[in-house]
Amino acid sequence: MRGVRTRRGVRDAGERGWDDSLYEDGAAGAAHGTTSAPVSPASGPAGPPRQGGSGQRRGSRGKRRVLRWVASVLSLLILGTAGAGYLYYRHLNSILKKEELNLGDKPMAGHQVNAAGQTPLNILLIGSDARNSDENKRLGGAKDTFDSPPLADVQMLLHLSADRSNISVISMPRDTLLKMPKCTDPETGEVYPATTNLRMTNESLGRGGPGCTVATWYELTGITIDHFMMIDFSGVVSMADAIGGVPVCVTDNVESRNPEGKGSGLKLEKGTTYIKGEQALQWLRTRYGFEDGTDLARTHAQHMYMNSMVRELKKSTKLSDPNKLRKLAESATRALTVDQRLDTVKKLYDLGEELKKVPAARITMATMPWIPQGGRVLPKPGEAELLFKMVREDTPLDGKASKKQKPKASKDPAAPDAEIGIMVQNGTYTDALGAATGRAAAVAGVLAQKGFTQAKADTQRNPQERTTVYFPSVDLEGDAQAVAKSLGLPTGSVKKSTDVSGVTLVVGADWRTGSTYPKSAAKDDGKDKDEALKSGRALNGEDTEACMEVQPGFTW
């Protein structure tokens, strides 16, 4: 359950939620430690827990497995640093809340595997501002929003590379303006029509739940999203408390409280301080007092905290106590809402195992590049799309090459060119330019001139950015490689796919004209990527020098 939807409607979405400036009584908020925060990752140790603790079964093997499930919950939220346990399996499964993944009209595209047959993984982390329990109301404040439709005030897309060598995280500011897709509430059946005007992205959660937030991301980015995980205020508090302390840094003494009493109440001395529990949440929700006092500064602080937590947990043993882990497991599972394909803690654990393969040095966090639009922001033309493209194409944000295996020549030799059946599809469509007409027939003609006389144009259209040759099974891999080589396509353009029944060439948006594949299509736009990453304030997971700049007027 996401809580009561009173259908009172969402007022200006920027005026409530995890925003630190929205408490009607700043003093009361400070007294209660009011903190509302984004998805705060948490995790357990990298190795198995020590033996001991009540409720463990006999045998060292059983003891080592007691808490293994925790890795799933915590390492996913902390970007994969946990490892431990399996107790309370049925009980925890029963309290794990599930919802549908995609509630929009558009079906989600499947993944395209890399040349080595590996598949990337994309997870949308959502911070809900739902004030539907006594604890969440205390932490969230803003009494006039109690039991209102929730807002997705924190949205972070976590991309795990296909070769499991790196992780990229892109945050979208909650006040990003965009159009919402049509969504259907899975609980009530209420249909929310697609919007014709721009709305704040955090409103998506109130239009049918986290599945609509996923659909909104997919509509904007074209990124296939495999899973979502959503957490509320109280869940963040309990996990941050259990971690036991994460170091953060500020450039000066800071107190997040303005003359009107608005702010998170965070008060820290200059330098590095270990924070936990509600103080950690104050950090995560602070905007008054950081940099320029905007939501964008808060996003940067969130990235610093998450990276610091990864480093801390990799070197600490704070979560090796079985009793502490069980408490954390209980609170975390109660706090989480996940998609239906993550309906057991075993599946969560498996995700955690994948994520923990990545070292902190290969974790990069960035904010979607933006431009101002009144008091809100819009995705920055060119640069925002380039970051999304890097995720779609599994390109690391840290600039280091993935450990992708170069495709080897097929053991099954290619058939004679004239005997290879090839279906050619036009995939040149883009929103800006539409489709280049006749491309399937034109390229089929090029292949025929090269001796591939069975090449035929297919009426099916499969829009995609890069020209790709797909094959369904190993016995056709050599044929697909021969087709790519004849056209001068890069080696990575040959991919296995169960969505095709034979060798299929999709002419992408990178080859809209001419009979020769453009050499420039395979070149890296490195300079543009550098600019996009600079705009997104990319932060590496091992940057121990990161320190939040304090906003003038908020020092003491």
Side-chain angles (χ1 to χ4, degrees):
M1 297 293 290
R2 290 190 302 279
V4 179
R5 289 199 182 89
T6 62
R7 305 300 177 194
R8 292 185 296 180
V10 178
R11 302 164 296 125
D12 184 342
E15 299 306 318
R16 55 162 281 205
W18 295 37
D19 190 333
D20 71 347
S21 65
L22 307 178
Y23 296 102
E24 59 276 340
D25 185 345
H32 288 289
T34 42
T35 53
S36 49
V39 175
S40 175
S43 175
R50 296 176 180 175
Q51 298 180 8
S54 60
Q56 293 189 4
R57 302 291 182 183
R58 66 181 181 275
S60 61
R61 180 176 300 177
K63 291 177 181 178
R64 286 195 300 268
R65 298 179 59 198
V66 166
L67 301 168
R68 296 188 65 185
W69 85 269
V70 174
S72 61
V73 176
L74 303 183
S75 65
L76 182 56
L77 292 178
I78 191 52
L79 314 182
T81 61
Y86 192 71
L87 191 60
Y88 305 137
Y89 185 78
R90 293 182 180 179
H91 165 65
L92 293 173
N93 281 344
S94 70
I95 62 176
L96 184 64
K97 298 179 286 295
K98 284 83 67 175
E99 294 207 22
E100 294 181 37
L101 176 67
N102 191 338
L103 301 176
D105 272 357
K106 283 187 178 181
M108 189 92 63
H111 275 296
Q112 295 179 8
V113 300
N114 66 14
Q118 300 165 319
T119 305
L121 185 67
N122 297 314
I123 306 158
L124 189 63
L125 306 178
I126 304 170
S128 168
D129 81 335
R131 292 160 169 83
N132 56 352
S133 69
D134 290 344
E135 182 67 3
N136 282 336
K137 289 173 182 177
R138 180 183 75 82
L139 293 169
K143 295 179 181 178
D144 59 335
T145 67
F146 288 1
D147 299 316
S148 293
L151 298 173
D153 271 347
V154 177
Q155 300 173 35
M156 296 183 180
L157 182 72
L158 185 157
H159 171 79
L160 175 63
S161 66
D163 66 1
R164 304 306 189 247
S165 69
N166 65 91
I167 285 175
S168 300
V169 177
I170 298 178
S171 293
M172 185 185 297
R174 70 187 180 100
D175 53 0
T176 300
L177 296 175
L178 41 74
K179 292 183 179 180
M180 301 281 175
K182 176 184 175 182
C183 292
T184 304
D185 191 314
E187 294 180 3
T188 67
E190 181 174 351
V191 177
Y192 295 84
T195 65
T196 56
N197 60 324
L198 297 176
R199 305 282 289 272
M200 280 178 60
T201 184
N202 63 354
E203 294 183 36
S204 60
L205 188 58
R207 290 169 52 84
C212 192
T213 304
V214 170
T216 301
W217 267 80
Y218 181 60
E219 184 89 1
L220 175 68
T221 68
I223 296 170
T224 298
I225 297 175
D226 302 280
H227 301 291
F228 70 77
M229 295 188 72
M230 183 170 70
I231 193 167
D232 59 15
F233 298 152
S234 60
V236 174
V237 170
S238 62
M239 287 190 288
D241 225 357
I243 290 167
V246 170
V248 295
C249 175
V250 288
T251 59
D252 205 340
N253 295 346
V254 62
E255 182 172 12
S256 178
R257 189 72 69 194
N258 70 7
E260 289 75 39
K262 295 179 179 179
S264 71
L266 178 72
K267 187 173 183 178
L268 294 176
E269 294 183 356
K270 177 181 178 179
T272 299
T273 304
Y274 273 77
I275 59 175
K276 63 179 181 178
E278 292 191 22
Q279 191 178 38
L281 292 177
Q282 289 176 331
W283 173 278
L284 290 164
R285 61 183 286 271
T286 293
R287 68 166 179 162
Y288 291 137
F290 285 163
E291 297 180 343
D292 58 359
T294 67
D295 184 58
L296 300 158
R298 174 167 48 203
T299 298
H300 196 216
Q302 292 165 5
H303 292 169
M304 287 186 187
Y305 179 89
M306 292 171 70
N307 280 339
S308 181
M309 187 183 295
V310 170
R311 296 191 300 270
E312 188 70 12
L313 288 172
K314 278 184 176 292
K315 69 180 182 180
S316 85
T317 58
K318 292 177 181 177
L319 296 181
S320 60
D321 184 308
N323 290 322
K324 290 182 179 179
L325 282 171
R326 282 197 294 270
K327 292 178 182 179
L328 182 57
E330 185 85 15
S331 60
T333 308
R334 289 187 182 281
L336 287 174
T337 299
V338 299
D339 65 273
Q340 292 179 334
R341 286 184 286 181
L342 290 177
D343 59 352
T344 67
V345 293
K346 172 61 168 62
K347 293 177 182 178
L348 288 171
Y349 170 75
D350 290 342
L351 276 179
E353 285 294 285
E354 290 294 289
L355 289 162
K356 79 173 194 175
K357 296 175 182 177
V358 180
R362 296 302 313 277
I363 297 173
T364 306
M365 300 190 185
T367 302
M368 178 196 76
W370 54 273
I371 56 173
Q373 176 70 19
R376 311 294 184 220
V377 301
L378 294 171
K380 188 173 184 178
E383 293 185 6
E385 169 56 25
L386 184 51
L387 280 194
F388 299 147
K389 178 182 176 182
M390 291 174 73
V391 170
R392 289 196 301 269
E393 297 182 354
D394 198 25
T395 302
L397 294 189
D398 62 9
K400 299 178 182 178
S402 291
K403 296 180 289 187
K404 296 180 180 179
Q405 300 176 22
K406 293 184 178 180
K408 300 178 181 178
S410 174
K411 295 181 180 179
D412 182 46
D417 294 352
E419 296 179 12
I420 299 176
I422 309 166
M423 297 302 296
V424 184
Q425 297 178 358
N426 185 349
T428 60
Y429 177 86
T430 66
D431 290 338
L433 301 174
T437 59
R439 289 304 292 157
V443 176
V446 171
L447 285 168
Q449 292 175 6
K450 293 178 177 292
F452 295 90
T453 54
Q454 292 195 43
K456 297 180 180 179
D458 188 359
T459 56
Q460 182 176 340
R461 294 188 174 188
N462 181 22
Q464 59 186 49
E465 293 182 33
R466 294 191 179 274
T467 300
T468 307
V469 184
Y470 297 101
F471 64 94
S473 55
V474 175
D475 60 316
L476 292 177
E477 184 176 10
D479 295 355
Q481 290 177 351
V483 171
K485 184 177 180 180
S486 72
L487 295 172
L489 299 176
T491 55
S493 67
V494 178
K495 298 183 179 181
K496 185 178 179 181
S497 172
T498 56
D499 293 331
V500 298
S501 57
V503 176
T504 303
L505 169 64
V506 180
V507 183
D510 58 349
W511 192 11
R512 295 178 61 87
T513 61
S515 59
T516 303
Y517 184 70
K519 293 181 179 181
S520 60
K523 291 183 178 179
D524 244 352
D525 41 3
K527 184 177 180 181
D528 292 337
K529 290 178 181 177
D530 290 343
E531 288 299 319
L533 291 171
K534 183 178 180 181
S535 292
R537 305 186 70 183
L539 186 65
N540 182 266
E542 281 201 338
D543 184 354
T544 59
E545 302 300 318
C547 197
M548 280 304 294
E549 182 180 343
V550 174
Q551 184 181 12
F554 288 86
T555 58
W556 53 275

